[in-house]
């Protein structure tokens, strides 16, 4: 396991590679100088941002694979197969390939790499950068003993992590990877409501964010059902119930369920062309 975690590479140095690098470094699981990330052009803003974290950078994808025991495939889904074709020759039995790309199945990943390549899919989210992420992973058929544990250890260093069957990777994207955006939207809208009612904007954001943290912590730490927590603040004929009624009439819950479903389906579609 130590081998897999001794050097980490990122093919693609964008938002998710930066979030994971920052989280890994902060957790102390790996030193910044043991991480190597690539992007096609030296002028990439992403390369300079990831460099600021102390990560080594290159424009050569093959160099990333040659110098890393664990290689994250962190390019956009439509680029994954061409990047894998480029580096396939360097993926030997010592390499663990971890794809975070939405929609690209283990079968497709495996088909672009040598027959016995050790491949894992991970679905992370951006709060990994502050070590409050959550991710799931699903392992390919040629992983060896310790690979799943290595991925678990790495991803657990930046949040919670669970092993799932591959069919659930996209649904988890819907609830967690895309889900953060749905919550940011809700947070912004609540703050706007506060501003409309006269609260200064900075305080409105601060209180909307802390309200979300508090609500999430109650469900997680007290292991209470969210519906119970909601009922507890809805007194008969009260203010909160008046607001809940407005949300129910607007289809708030159905909209969130639809959003998770839409993100899941979009991710599944992205993989179909590969
Ligand atoms: N963002 C999320 O919240 C999130 C969550 C879960 C999973 N994911 C998955 O993570 C992957 C990356 O997403 P992202 O949001 O980090 O994307 P991004 O910010 O657009 O980053 C993509 C990176 O890939 C680089 N790149 C493009 N073509 C390349 C090539 N041929 N070889 C090497 N690098 C190349 C880009 O270079 P430049 O710097 O020059 O643009 C950029 O650094 C996607 O597959 C996505 O499905 C993302």
């Amino acid at each position: 396991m130590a081998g897999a975690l001794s050097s980490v590479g990122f093919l693609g140095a964008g938002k998710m590679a930066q979030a994971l690098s920052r989280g890994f470094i902060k957790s102390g699981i790996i030193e910044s100088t043991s991480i190597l990330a690539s992007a096609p052009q030296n002028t990439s803003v992403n390369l300079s941002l990831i460099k600021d974290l102390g990560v080594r950078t290159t424009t050569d994808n093959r160099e990333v694979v040659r110098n890393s025991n664990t290689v994250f495939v962190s390019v956009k889904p439509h680029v994954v197969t061409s990047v894998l074709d480029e580096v396939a020759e360097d993926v030997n039995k010592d390499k663990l390939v971890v794809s975070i790309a939405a929609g690209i199945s283990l079968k497709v990943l495996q088909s672009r790499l040598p027959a016995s390549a050790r491949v894992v899919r991970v679905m992370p989210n951006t709060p990994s950068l502050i070590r409050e992420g959550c991710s799931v992973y699903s392992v390919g058929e040629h992983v060896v003993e310790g690979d799943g544990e290595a991925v678990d250890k790495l991803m657990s260093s930046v949040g919670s992590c669970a092993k799932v069957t591959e069919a659930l990777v996209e649904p988890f994207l819907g609830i967690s990877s895309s889900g953060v955006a749905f919550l940011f939207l809700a947070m912004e809208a609540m703050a706007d409501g506060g501003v409309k009612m006269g609260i200064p904007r900075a305080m409105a954001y601060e209180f909307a964010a802390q309200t979300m943290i508090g609500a999430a912590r109650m469900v997680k730490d007290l292991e209470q059902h969210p519906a119970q927590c909601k009922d507890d603040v809805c007194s008969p004929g009260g203010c909160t119930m008046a607001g809940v009624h407005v949300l129910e009439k607007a289809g708030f819950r159905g909209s969130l369920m639809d959003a998770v479903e839409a993100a899941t389906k979009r991710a599944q579609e992205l993989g179909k062309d590969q």
Side-chain angles (χ1 to χ4, degrees):
M1 189 189 297
L5 300 183
S6 60
S7 51
V8 167
F10 285 96
L11 296 166
K15 286 180 283 299
M16 207 57 236
Q18 289 164 40
L20 290 176
S21 298
R22 192 183 283 271
F24 292 157
I25 296 163
K26 239 181 191 168
S27 75
I29 199 162
I30 188 158
E31 304 234 343
S32 60
T33 50
S34 300
I35 304 177
L36 177 61
S38 64
Q41 307 288 337
N42 247 330
T43 49
S44 158
V45 173
N46 286 313
L47 269 194
S48 65
L49 288 171
I50 209 164
K51 208 177 198 166
D52 288 345
L53 304 175
V55 167
R56 292 175 298 124
T57 60
T58 175
T59 53
D60 182 351
N61 288 333
R62 296 188 65 177
E63 189 187 334
V64 170
V65 177
R66 286 186 191 135
N67 287 283
S68 313
N69 289 329
T70 298
V71 180
F72 278 83
V73 182
S74 48
V75 289
K76 288 288 188 199
H78 68 279
V79 195
V80 168
T81 51
S82 64
V83 167
L84 290 183
D85 290 348
E86 191 186 334
V87 301
E89 228 176 276
D90 301 298
V91 177
N92 58 36
K93 64 178 177 36
D94 298 329
K95 311 293 178 187
L96 175 60
V97 177
V98 179
S99 171
I100 62 168
I104 311 294
S105 66
L106 284 165
K107 192 172 165 208
V108 167
L109 297 165
Q110 208 86 58
S111 73
R112 313 305 284 221
L113 295 170
S116 58
R118 296 153 53 204
V119 181
V120 175
R121 283 189 72 191
V122 166
M123 191 49 63
N125 67 357
T126 50
S128 301
L129 81 94
I130 52 157
R131 302 182 62 213
E132 288 286 354
C134 50
S135 57
V136 293
Y137 70 96
S138 189
V139 301
E141 55 184 321
H142 302 299
V143 293
V144 298
E145 203 187 331
D147 283 347
E149 287 82 349
V151 168
D152 205 304
K153 193 168 175 193
L154 203 49
M155 298 314 298
S156 295
S157 77
V158 293
S160 62
C161 176
K163 185 177 179 181
V164 296
T165 57
E166 193 183 12
L168 286 181
V169 170
E170 272 69 41
F172 272 102
L173 169 148
I175 194 172
S176 293
S177 313
S178 302
V180 285
F182 309 153
L183 295 183
F184 287 134
L185 208 66
M187 202 187 301
E188 191 195 13
M190 273 178 51
D192 276 348
V195 172
K196 187 173 184 222
M197 293 295 110
I199 297 174
R201 185 159 285 284
M203 284 183 82
Y205 286 136
E206 168 66 28
F207 275 68
Q210 182 55 42
T211 301
M212 269 201 187
I213 292 171
R217 289 242 73 96
M218 278 182 72
V219 170
K220 279 202 74 180
D221 297 356
L222 306 179
E223 294 182 15
Q224 280 187 7
H225 194 291
Q228 181 63 53
C229 297
K230 183 266 292 172
D231 282 359
D232 288 347
V233 289
C234 286
S235 46
C239 327
T240 310
M241 202 60 228
V244 166
H245 187 205
V246 171
L247 291 176
E248 292 291 13
K249 277 200 290 192
F252 182 66
R253 284 200 278 188
S255 296
L256 280 177
M257 288 172 71
D258 284 350
V260 172
E261 183 178 20
T264 302
K265 287 189 169 162
R266 181 69 190 124
Q268 288 162 344
E269 260 171 42
L270 286 176
K272 280 201 184 120
D273 301 334
Q274 308 299 319

